[in-house]
Amino acid sequence: MGHTPQNDSPSHTTRLTGAEITWATLVGEGVSDVFGYPGGAILPIYDAMRKFPIRHILTRHEQGATHMADGYARASGKVGVALATSGPGATNMVTGLATAMMDSVPIVCITGQVSSKVLGSDAFQEVDITGITLPVTKHNYLVTRPEDIAPALREAFLIARSGRPGPVLVDITKDAQQGSADFSFEAAAPKAYRPHPMRGHNADSITDAARLIREAKRPVILSGHGVIQSAAFEQLRTLAERMQIPVASTLLGLGGFPASHPLSLGMMGMHGEAWVNQAIQKSDLLIACGMRFDDRVTGTLATYAPNAKKIHIEIDPAEINKNVKVDVALIGDLKQVLELLLPSLSKRANSPWLREITESKGESAVRDIKNLPDNGHLYAAHVINDLWNATGGKAIVVTDVGQHQMWEAQYYKHDAPRTLITSGGLGTMGFALPAAIGAKIACPDKEVWVIAGDGGFQMTAPELSTIAQENLDINIAVINNGFLGMVRQWQEFIYDKNYASSPILSPDFVKLADAHGISGATVSTRPQVAAAVKSARGSKAPYLINFLVEKEDSVYPMVAAGSALHEMIRRPDNPMIETAEDA
């Protein structure tokens, strides 16, 4: 291999082109894999790539590259990296950047740009990508000189992973890539990260929070994505067990607290479990851990947990009191804050509150259709429950967006962090397939499953060729109901069953997979599910299963927009009586 900065002493300087500096800096930052698509304005960087020990995964679309970097980051905890050329290559990244921004995922996107001497002239494939991406990145750069590439990239990595993580874009002009400059990885080091001035562990706030927790009779912990980002698993579990507080999870928080734990309630919010939402509404204290009280969690704000005091532990000061006014704000890294809080709390015995919640499970678990007698219809809940059983709940599951995403959250019980990868804040259809590629590159020894709807899957289906080219052992479950399912559900409940433009025609997905050199099977009855999943898992190669599920099934419960959290649409006329032990 060519020169890499690991061979340098801290003071060693080497003359390199801007393109070589780009790769040398990535190597120095510990990058081993990147996702991208070449084009004219970034060709100097691609030309220099052969000199450096980094694996490049050729995507089929630049949006796919950003989602792969995103999936890589979520699965590994590292910074994901994506590359694209100028103009349409860069603009194709915008959706992926916005997805990462909304979900606080650390990625760095590197784009080529036209030569600096023609900037602003509407040159071929020129676009102001820094202006376009300003609202959907933590920060971005336009680099016009080779000597500025390493400092910009190193600062980009620092920004992406510091504080509340997020995406950063670095746009490098072609002449900066082609020019030469002295390079020293150490000399390009950014200034030390400075936490937000509002961050700080105020002793009075810790005391106030501990007092509220000790006094609470009906407390609930709200476990968000920040639990996973902060790796605060042990601290959260200690808090819950010591104080006997039940734990509800956001969609992105699933896996941060084990689903099998006796204190785990499940997912809250629009499609959360009925007893979870009822517990939140009845609570007298909410302890929000690394979550932002978004609208899918709260329902209408005017009626949200009206009798509860609220403690908000959050790294981003901008989220404090943004949606929900709180009584105590603890601004800082969740793990560190909990470590300061726990010594003030002594072990508490079981309370009537836990028994009340357990009883409400038995009363309200009408959503569970997985144990209904087989009536010849295949429900998505059957598929996901059986997949959970077959994998022992240990697979990394990457979902798309829609009904199947909510069914996965309900029926695949995640005990470990970073095992559910999904687009939460932006709700990006087409996310699953490319994000799963990133997850598999990051964790090659782990079982990876895509769960996607027939609509979203078609948005990024060409990435099947990326899977085939890279020979990745990824299993794909297409939940095929012939509709844009969540759109159809809203049309059923809210728009008088006017299914305008929600029925969708799909290709034969098994034949489509076969055209890419990927094996597959079609399943239409429940007895076929286990055998198909076994075939997929045993193939040790990519495999696609086309599950033909009930066309007009809906996700229950559902909190309609503008409704209170406890005002849920429930599964009608369910003949099954379920006990709390079944839930």
Side-chain angles (χ1 to χ4, degrees):
M1 289 292 181
H3 170 83
T4 62
Q6 280 106 328
N7 299 324
D8 292 344
S9 65
S11 60
H12 185 73
T13 299
T14 305
R15 191 79 175 172
L16 298 175
T17 67
E20 292 168 335
I21 289 172
T22 301
W23 292 111
T25 306
L26 292 179
V27 171
E29 288 289 346
V31 174
S32 56
D33 307 279
V34 300
F35 309 89
Y37 203 99
I42 202 169
L43 272 184
I45 287 176
Y46 272 84
D47 183 59
M49 180 172 64
R50 65 186 185 275
K51 303 176 183 178
F52 296 86
I54 290 181
R55 178 185 183 184
H56 179 273
I57 292 87
L58 176 65
T59 71
R60 297 307 183 266
H61 192 279
E62 293 87 355
Q63 180 180 342
T66 53
H67 291 330
M68 289 177 205
D70 183 315
Y72 182 98
R74 295 193 205 217
S76 67
K78 301 176 183 177
V79 178
V81 180
L83 281 72
T85 194
S86 64
T91 58
N92 281 345
M93 289 182 135
V94 173
T95 298
L97 286 164
T99 301
M101 185 70 176
M102 289 288 280
D103 288 351
S104 304
V105 180
I107 67 172
V108 170
C109 291
I110 300 170
T111 52
Q113 183 56 278
V114 300
S115 187
S116 59
K117 63 180 178 291
V118 295
L119 281 173
S121 70
D122 292 332
F124 177 66
Q125 292 193 330
E126 180 191 1
V127 73
D128 177 12
I129 195 61
T130 53
I132 289 169
T133 61
L134 190 64
V136 293
T137 53
K138 277 187 77 176
H139 194 59
N140 61 30
Y141 301 82
L142 172 61
V143 181
T144 60
R145 304 189 309 164
E147 56 265 37
D148 295 332
I149 292 175
L153 281 173
R154 294 210 62 189
E155 191 169 83
F157 273 80
L158 178 67
I159 292 171
R161 60 182 166 232
S162 297
R164 180 178 182 173
V168 181
L169 181 134
V170 181
D171 194 35
I172 307 174
T173 62
K174 194 168 185 179
D175 54 326
Q177 299 170 44
Q178 294 169 324
S180 297
D182 291 337
F183 170 74
S184 166
F185 182 76
E186 294 298 331
K191 293 180 180 178
Y193 169 66
R194 295 175 60 190
H196 192 284
M198 286 183 66
R199 280 183 60 183
H201 308 307
N202 184 298
D204 290 339
S205 295
I206 293 288
T207 300
D208 290 343
R211 175 180 53 79
L212 288 178
I213 294 170
R214 287 193 297 268
E215 293 175 353
K217 305 298 184 186
R218 300 186 304 280
V220 177
I221 292 171
L222 309 181
S223 175
H225 195 200
V227 174
I228 296 170
Q229 299 283 39
S230 178
F233 319 117
E234 182 181 341
Q235 291 75 15
L236 179 67
R237 186 165 180 162
T238 300
L239 172 62
E241 292 176 347
R242 182 178 296 176
M243 305 306 293
Q244 288 297 293
I245 303 175
V247 179
S249 295
T250 67
L251 174 64
L252 294 183
L254 293 173
F257 189 81
S260 61
H261 194 286
L263 291 171
S264 175
L265 294 179
M267 186 176 70
M268 67 182 92
M270 176 173 279
H271 295 292
E273 312 291 7
W275 59 82
V276 183
N277 291 342
Q278 289 166 351
I280 290 170
Q281 291 297 81
K282 293 177 181 178
S283 68
D284 63 1
L285 176 67
L286 297 180
I287 308 167
C289 296
M291 51 85 74
R292 57 189 180 88
F293 290 110
D294 69 277
D295 60 299
R296 287 298 192 263
V297 161
T298 63
T300 183
L301 290 172
T303 57
Y304 180 66
N307 300 314
K309 294 188 179 298
K310 299 169 183 76
I311 299 169
H312 196 179
I313 309 174
E314 170 61 45
I315 200 167
D316 184 356
E319 294 297 341
I320 302 296
N321 295 321
K322 185 178 82 173
N323 296 325
V324 172
K325 182 173 175 56
V326 300
D327 297 275
V328 178
L330 300 175
I331 303 173
D333 178 81
L334 178 63
K335 183 176 181 179
Q336 295 174 3
V337 172
L338 289 177
E339 286 175 344
L340 286 174
L341 178 61
L342 286 169
S344 302
L345 300 170
S346 301
K347 187 171 179 61
R348 184 162 62 184
N350 286 349
S351 68
W353 174 231
L354 293 177
R355 292 192 293 274
E356 181 181 340
I357 293 173
T358 300
E359 290 170 2
S360 73
K361 285 185 182 183
E363 296 167 0
S364 63
V366 296
R367 53 109 182 142
D368 201 339
I369 63 171
K370 69 178 184 291
N371 295 322
L372 280 174
D374 186 0
N375 60 2
H377 295 267
L378 180 64
Y379 292 94
H382 295 161
V383 172
I384 293 166
N385 181 73
D386 291 351
L387 181 60
W388 171 65
N389 280 324
T391 60
K394 298 184 186 306
I396 295 176
V397 180
V398 189
T399 82
D400 222 271
V401 171
Q403 288 181 314
H404 67 275
Q405 180 188 33
M406 296 297 102
W407 280 315
E408 197 283 345
Q410 291 179 341
Y411 290 97
Y412 197 104
K413 306 300 183 183
H414 293 271
D415 276 339
R418 302 192 183 278
T419 56
L420 172 59
I421 296 173
T422 192
S423 172
L426 197 64
T428 305
M429 290 178 67
F431 173 81
L433 191 65
I437 293 171
K440 188 64 177 180
I441 295 293
C443 305
D445 297 327
K446 292 188 178 180
E447 182 175 359
V448 174
W449 277 84
V450 171
I451 297 180
D454 45 330
F457 183 76
Q458 292 186 72
M459 289 189 171
T460 52
E463 300 301 347
L464 287 170
S465 280
T466 304
I467 292 174
Q469 184 167 344
E470 297 293 330
N471 192 30
L472 300 174
D473 178 11
I474 294 174
N475 295 315
I476 303 160
V478 180
I479 308 300
N480 186 351
N481 60 8
F483 280 98
L484 302 177
M486 191 60 83
V487 175
R488 186 213 59 77
Q489 178 169 332
W490 279 57
Q491 290 171 330
E492 176 186 346
F493 292 168
I494 302 169
Y495 295 95
D496 197 28
K497 296 188 177 181
N498 176 23
Y499 297 158
S501 300
S502 57
I504 185 170
L505 178 68
S506 298
D508 184 322
F509 290 121
V510 175
K511 289 182 178 179
L512 180 64
D514 183 63
H516 290 84
I518 295 172
S519 299
T522 295
V523 169
S524 57
T525 66
R526 190 169 193 186
Q528 298 172 325
V529 174
V533 171
K534 184 177 180 180
S535 294
R537 300 184 73 215
S539 71
K540 303 304 178 185
Y543 199 95
L544 182 147
I545 309 174
N546 181 28
F547 289 102
L548 302 178
V549 300
E550 183 69 17
K551 289 183 177 294
E552 295 188 48
D553 191 18
S554 294
V555 181
Y556 295 99
M558 175 180 170
V559 179
S563 298
L565 193 61
H566 59 278
E567 295 173 345
M568 291 165 280
I569 301 171
R570 309 296 292 279
R571 180 175 293 280
D573 302 322
N574 192 335
M576 182 181 70
I577 303 300
E578 188 181 65
T579 67
E581 287 71 26
D582 295 322

